[in-house]
Amino acid sequence: MAIFWNRARSSSSPLLQRIKRHVITGGDYFILSRSFTTLEGHRPTIVHKRSLDILHDPWFNKGTAFSMTERDRLDLRGLLPPNVVSPDVQIERFMVDLKRLEVQARDGPSDPNALAKWRILNRLHDRNETMYYKVLINNIEEYAPIVYTPTVGLVCQNYSGLFRRPRGMYFSAEDRGEMMSMVYNWPAEQVDMIVVTDGSRILGLGDLGVQGIGITIGKLDLYVAAAGINPQRVLPVMIDVGTNNKKLLEDPLYLGLQQHRLDGDDYLAVIDEFMEAVFTRWPNVIVQFEDFQSKWAFKLLQRYRTTYRMFNDDVQGTAGVAIAGLLGAVRAQGRPMIDFPKQKIVVAGAGSAGIGVLNAARKTMARMLGNNEVAFQSAKSQFWVVDAKGLITEGRENIDPDALPFARNLKEMDRQGLREGASLAEVVKQVKPDVLLGLSAVGGLFSNEVLEALKDSTSTRPAIFAMSNPTKNAECTPDEAFSILGDNIIFASGSPFSNVDLGPSLLNIMWVE
């Protein structure tokens, strides 16, 4: 990132009139703050920093890559080693250190190597953001699983102990009435993307409270590295409304509010104030809701979707990716795309992600069938939904309103040899589905019994979507699926698996998320 000091040669210079100069007076002295211009994408940005302030700011620090001209203009001469090192050499040196320190950075034998990698990368992120993203972009396949799932789950579980330097913003229940002024504490005048969580359902790990901010940081790192979003225009946010995690409530090192979660109108008041505040300062920002528990995910989406530029990643993002995978599976089965409405799909999991995928798949089928009310009603007959209590039917007491449209008719189930609360293995055995879709967050749910039952699928090439993450929460592994069903299946997962040896069947793997 090139940084230049603009010297105005004339008091009438238009540039001089545009650059703000701040004069600080006190006693018998004054300081004139010099302004610098940095190229942010294709547009210049004014930077009111020099000397150590730049070296301590990861947004603008280039470390030893500052040229001698830049060092003179930015008052950096003498603050860096004299040799100017190119960014490529910087990265090469860092990668050598990373490989050497991966093992040394571990906190004992119980500390996974992946967490050591995250810790080293995080240190780089803290001091030199430009170099951090160059490393991430150049090694995205290797480091995406480190900065995001599955390693980010481990990071969130241990975030209070890993915390070294703040990143992003924290809005808490204690900040009610102050959020409108708080948003102006963030230094960026423009923010394009906010990822926000309340920490209530981080991946499949449950309530992690304020430690859930790790998921928003990791998600935005991927957006910057893979989608090219300007890193100075993204903002990870944690809304801390308490936690119901007993372990965190009793942990003296926990960094969040040690009180039970707000609920009802008190909870909504906090989220409402946050949304109003961020859109007041940044009217064009997009806010992504991430890992909110099912109880609130749909309610908040309905509450804000017509008022603000926002979406829920678990409800809508996962659904979009899943639909792409399901349509790809139809083609991989050698069938025409119009056969998608004929697919029999057993879904394990009725949380926000599961219901989001079901709604999207049903709408997609209905459009293919004529896009009318009859088609919409017909499409729901292609889904059998199993949650922690078993098969969901109309006989279920206190059924979740969001799952109600997919509850099966009791008489129809009797004819199929099924009942309310039937186990997943029973459902798979009787339905003989084309697709077994897992969004349960229950690792190993697709047991040998379930996979054996899938052998009787009416499809010549059944599809298994083990989409829960992190990896340990996947419903099954590729090896487990292929060891029982052979290589004539389609396998998709929500997290990458390493060391998958499929030989000629490698194309059966579709990384879904």
Side-chain angles (χ1 to χ4, degrees), residues 96-380:
V96 170
D97 285 343
L98 177 59
K99 300 301 181 184
R100 177 173 55 85
L101 293 174
E102 279 175 4
V103 176
Q104 296 180 14
R106 294 172 63 180
D107 290 338
S110 63
D111 185 17
N113 206 43
L115 191 58
K117 289 183 181 180
W118 178 90
R119 193 181 289 111
I120 297 167
L121 287 170
N122 192 56
R123 292 172 191 160
L124 177 62
H125 198 177
D126 284 343
R127 68 178 184 269
N128 189 332
E129 197 162 272
T130 300
M131 184 175 167
Y132 171 77
Y133 285 116
K134 284 184 178 180
V135 169
L136 191 55
I137 290 168
N138 292 343
N139 303 275
I140 189 68
E141 184 175 354
E142 179 179 0
Y143 292 138
I146 302 299
V147 300
Y148 200 60
T149 182
T151 306
V152 73
L154 191 59
V155 170
C156 289
Q157 288 176 298
N158 297 277
Y159 197 80
S160 290
L162 294 170
F163 181 86
R164 294 294 181 272
R165 178 173 178 166
R167 180 168 288 114
M169 289 195 73
Y170 299 80
F171 297 84
S172 79
E174 300 297 317
D175 297 319
R176 280 176 283 188
E178 301 292 336
M179 295 184 194
M180 191 63 74
S181 61
M182 288 171 60
V183 292
Y184 290 92
N185 293 337
W186 187 249
E189 290 300 321
Q190 291 179 284
V191 171
D192 298 328
M193 188 80 191
I194 291 174
V195 176
V196 59
T197 186
D198 68 351
S200 58
R201 191 203 64 83
I202 298 301
L203 299 174
L205 303 170
D207 184 351
L208 296 182
V210 78
Q211 300 184 150
I213 194 170
I215 204 78
T216 68
I217 295 169
K219 181 76 78 170
L220 286 170
D221 279 350
L222 290 189
Y223 288 171
V224 171
I229 297 178
N230 190 322
Q232 295 182 21
R233 295 192 180 190
V234 300
L235 175 57
V237 170
M238 175 69 215
I239 299 180
D240 185 2
V241 291
T243 178
N244 293 331
N245 186 321
K246 183 179 179 181
K247 180 180 178 181
L248 297 179
L249 289 171
E250 297 174 352
D251 184 357
L253 299 180
Y254 177 60
L255 295 173
L257 296 179
Q258 290 186 297
Q259 63 185 45
H260 288 284
R261 283 188 171 274
L262 294 182
D263 204 354
D265 290 341
D266 289 335
Y267 176 88
L268 286 173
V270 173
I271 310 298
D272 283 348
E273 185 178 345
F274 162 76
M275 293 294 282
E276 182 181 4
V278 296
F279 279 95
T280 296
R281 185 177 184 197
W282 303 295
N284 297 317
V285 72
I286 298 173
V287 175
Q288 171 183 324
F289 280 61
E290 183 78 23
D291 286 357
F292 282 70
Q293 60 183 315
S294 300
K295 175 180 179 179
W296 288 111
F298 288 100
K299 290 181 181 178
L300 295 176
L301 179 59
Q302 296 304 321
R303 188 177 183 87
Y304 303 127
R305 67 188 307 172
T306 60
T307 308
Y308 299 114
R309 295 170 52 152
M310 60 80 62
F311 70 99
N312 184 293
D313 185 53
D314 304 294
V315 177
Q316 297 166 289
T318 300
V321 174
I323 293 302
L326 290 170
L327 292 173
V330 176
R331 182 174 295 172
Q333 289 168 343
R335 301 168 65 175
M337 200 66 71
I338 195 63
D339 277 0
F340 179 55
K342 300 177 183 178
Q343 293 267 289
K344 294 179 293 183
I345 302 176
V346 171
V347 180
S352 59
I355 297 298
V357 170
L358 282 164
N359 286 329
R362 182 184 181 185
K363 289 178 181 178
T364 303
M365 288 181 175
R367 284 195 291 269
M368 291 182 171
L369 293 171
N371 203 25
N372 53 43
E373 185 60 29
V374 173
F376 191 66
Q377 291 301 320
S378 174
K380 77 173 186 178

Side-chain angles (χ1 to χ4, degrees), residues 457-478:
S457 168
T458 53
S459 173
T460 56
R461 199 178 185 195
I464 299 173
F465 282 62
M467 293 184 66
S468 294
N469 53 41
T471 306
K472 71 173 186 177
N473 288 346
E475 285 75 12
C476 71
T477 68

